[in-house]
Amino acid sequence: MLDTKALLLPQTDNLQIGCLSRLFDNMSECYKLFWFQAIVNLVSDGKTELSYDELINEMIADSWYMVSEYNLNLGPADTLEALVHHVHNVSRLKTSEKKEKILDYLRDCDDSILRSKKRTLTYQVPYRLQAPFMDFVKKDEWKVSEKKLAQKINQEKRLIYYFSALNGLQTEIRITPEWQDYIVKNQAVLRGWICYHMVAYLQRRNPDVPGIIKKLNPPQERKLEKVQKYWKMIAEVMPVRDIYAEGILDRKDISIDHFVPWSYVAHDELWNLSPTTKSINSSKSNSLPTWAIYFPRLCEIEYLSYEAGQKYGQIKKAFEQCSREHVNSSEVMGRLYRDGLDRDTFSGYLEEIIHPIYQSAHNLGFKEWIYEKSNA
């Protein structure tokens, strides 16, 4: 959890920082977070006049990985989440696509459904975000046309931005010079402050999902060299059978697979890792192997490695090196990897560890997968 004391917003005499600090109070949806984050991103790049369209493109790109890669829930019937799913379905962009490529696609896309969903996002958020700064705000005063609301807001003083060129998605907001200067100077603190609120919001919406803070940004390359070396060492002294294709693995083509996808667990614990081929690993991607077929095979190969460590000193040493980085629970270490376990006991412990995580990922929407030779 981030330290809230480290996220106090820098004070300045000529701006209402107390109002800024209340932007995300009583927030039931995520839109304000992504809208303000988009403003910080674009102003930090030197822009002061921002269209609704480019701000929403930024929102889609910033939420892309959370929704398409990590299957996080942004809220009930969330329009931004639906936008990401729609773009992913029609664009064929990867779930782990680079942000600039996502933005390039959105700038060039002329899709009527996309435009309609974008427009829905503009009806409230651009106006309500700055409510803490406004004197006039009363419940009924929001219920007017966009034009009248923008005109009324433009009469307010001390706001972060004002509206110009009111024209659907081409409507522009203009950042005031004082706030532009503040955002540019304090962008690192502002990003940390947004991140804190983003994590708190997503944890509330996804209470059973681990590693939320690791799921705000594109997936990073995992460092599994020690695990790969460990399995290659085992393959030198005994046959290692792939749990998906069931063929004997060539140590030169060993790739390390997360049984429950990394995009759900957000860790590299050894008990969730097994060797496979590079092509099968790529084919499986972020899917869940069908439990009834593949979990018994996972038990077999994990117990094989356990027995190898009991039998061969160099493998036991390789396991000990792996475990320092890839077994981070003393309880798991003390139960699953202690000496003298028979196959059934080992498998029972492994099921107790993995099955609740697998089921939670399944409930979140991770799809089941069965190996087909033509797909690998």
Side-chain angles (χ1 to χ4, degrees):
M1 179 62 69
L2 296 173
D3 182 1
T4 55
K5 292 180 181 178
L7 295 174
L8 295 176
L9 297 175
Q11 296 295 313
T12 184
D13 292 337
N14 61 332
L15 296 175
Q16 300 290 326
I17 306 304
C19 296
L20 177 68
S21 70
R22 299 200 304 275
L23 283 193
F24 308 131
D25 288 359
N26 305 314
M27 186 177 59
S28 59
E29 302 292 343
C30 67
Y31 307 130
K32 289 181 181 179
L33 283 164
F34 286 101
W35 179 264
F36 186 64
Q37 181 171 263
I39 290 173
V40 172
N41 290 346
L42 295 172
V43 170
S44 298
D45 286 341
K47 297 184 177 182
T48 58
E49 294 184 356
L50 316 170
S51 72
Y52 284 3
D53 195 52
E54 65 183 319
L55 283 162
I56 293 171
N57 287 348
E58 193 78 15
M59 292 169 70
I60 294 169
D62 281 342
S63 59
W64 182 266
Y65 315 105
M66 304 177 200
V67 174
S68 66
E69 174 77 3
Y70 303 127
N71 284 29
L72 293 181
N73 171 25
L74 299 187
D78 185 274
T79 301
L80 182 57
E81 183 177 326
L83 258 172
V84 174
H85 284 307
H86 176 73
V87 175
H88 182 232
N89 289 337
V90 300
S91 68
R92 297 186 180 179
L93 291 169
K94 296 184 294 186
T95 59
S96 57
E97 193 62 79
K98 291 182 179 179
K99 180 176 178 178
E100 193 51 50
K101 194 166 182 180
I102 298 168
L103 289 171
D104 286 343
Y105 175 84
L106 292 169
R107 291 185 197 106
D108 296 336
C109 184
D110 186 26
D111 179 88
S112 59
I113 296 175
L114 176 61
R115 288 198 305 273
S116 176
K117 289 182 180 297
K118 280 184 176 182
R119 188 72 177 101
T120 300
L121 283 178
T122 68
Y123 294 142
Q124 298 291 336
V125 183
Y127 310 103
R128 289 181 180 268
L129 177 76
Q130 299 190 97
F133 291 88
M134 299 179 198
D135 295 327
F136 82 87
V137 179
K138 295 176 184 175
K139 213 168 189 181
D140 293 338
E141 293 191 73
W142 295 106
K143 298 177 181 179
V144 295
S145 68
E146 286 183 279
K147 184 177 180 180
K148 288 183 178 179
L149 188 56
Q151 288 172 343
K152 186 149 192 168
I153 291 173
N154 279 350
Q155 295 172 20
E156 293 283 324
K157 298 178 180 179
R158 73 197 182 196
L159 300 185
I160 300 171
Y161 59 82
Y162 294 87
F163 301 92
S164 61
L166 211 67
N167 180 26
L169 287 173
Q170 300 312 309
T171 299
E172 292 184 346
I173 63 171
R174 177 174 38 83
I175 310 297
T176 64
E178 296 82 6
W179 278 107
Q180 178 197 5
D181 184 60
Y182 181 87
I183 290 170
V184 171
K185 285 183 178 178
N186 300 291
Q187 58 184 283
V189 176
L190 289 170
R191 292 182 202 281
W193 178 64
I194 294 167
C195 178
Y196 170 78
H197 285 282
M198 189 79 75
V199 169
Y201 176 85
L202 290 171
Q203 284 178 332
R204 189 166 69 251
R205 289 293 188 196
N206 303 268
D208 298 324
V209 177
I212 290 287
I213 198 167
K214 296 180 180 179
K215 298 177 178 179
L216 305 187
N217 299 303
Q220 302 298 309
E221 184 178 354
R222 270 80 78 185
K223 295 181 179 180
L224 299 172
E225 293 87 355
K226 290 180 182 177
V227 180
Q228 190 175 49
K229 183 179 178 181
Y230 169 64
W231 277 107
K232 285 183 176 182
M233 190 177 291
I234 295 172
E236 284 183 349
V237 299
M238 60 180 63
V240 175
R241 193 175 294 277
D242 174 61
I243 70 172
Y244 304 118
E246 296 192 283
I248 302 300
L249 288 167
D250 180 346
R251 65 183 302 277
K252 295 179 181 178
D253 188 35
I254 285 180
S255 177
I256 302 303
D257 169 61
H258 292 71
F259 188 78
V260 180
W262 186 93
S263 54
Y264 179 74
V265 296
H267 63 58
D268 300 315
E269 293 296 294
L270 194 60
W271 43 264
N272 189 50
L273 303 174
S274 68
T276 186
T277 67
K278 294 173 184 175
S279 61
I280 292 174
N281 202 354
S282 177
S283 174
K284 175 176 172 284
S285 187
N286 289 335
S287 301
L288 286 167
T290 297
W291 181 268
I293 299 172
Y294 298 114
F295 179 72
R297 298 181 193 173
L298 179 70
C299 289
E300 288 294 319
I301 199 170
E302 293 290 348
Y303 190 71
L304 178 140
S305 70
Y306 171 83
E307 284 188 312
Q310 302 284 306
K311 187 175 181 180
Y312 299 98
Q314 73 270 30
I315 293 175
K316 185 174 182 64
K317 185 176 180 180
F319 168 78
E320 288 169 351
Q321 291 176 339
C322 269
S323 66
R324 294 188 191 109
E325 186 175 336
H326 296 287
V327 182
N328 290 292
S329 166
S330 56
E331 181 181 357
V332 169
M333 194 71 189
R335 294 184 73 201
L336 189 62
Y337 297 114
R338 73 173 189 263
D339 292 342
L341 297 179
D342 60 42
R343 188 183 304 271
D344 289 343
T345 303
F346 181 93
S347 298
Y349 286 153
L350 187 60
E351 182 171 6
E352 288 177 14
I353 295 167
I354 293 186
H355 189 262
I357 300 167
Y358 179 101
Q359 191 59 51
S360 183
H362 191 276
N363 293 344
L364 194 64
F366 283 82
K367 296 178 181 178
E368 285 194 38
W369 173 86
I370 295 178
Y371 169 73
E372 295 180 12
K373 190 172 182 178
S374 60
N375 292 337

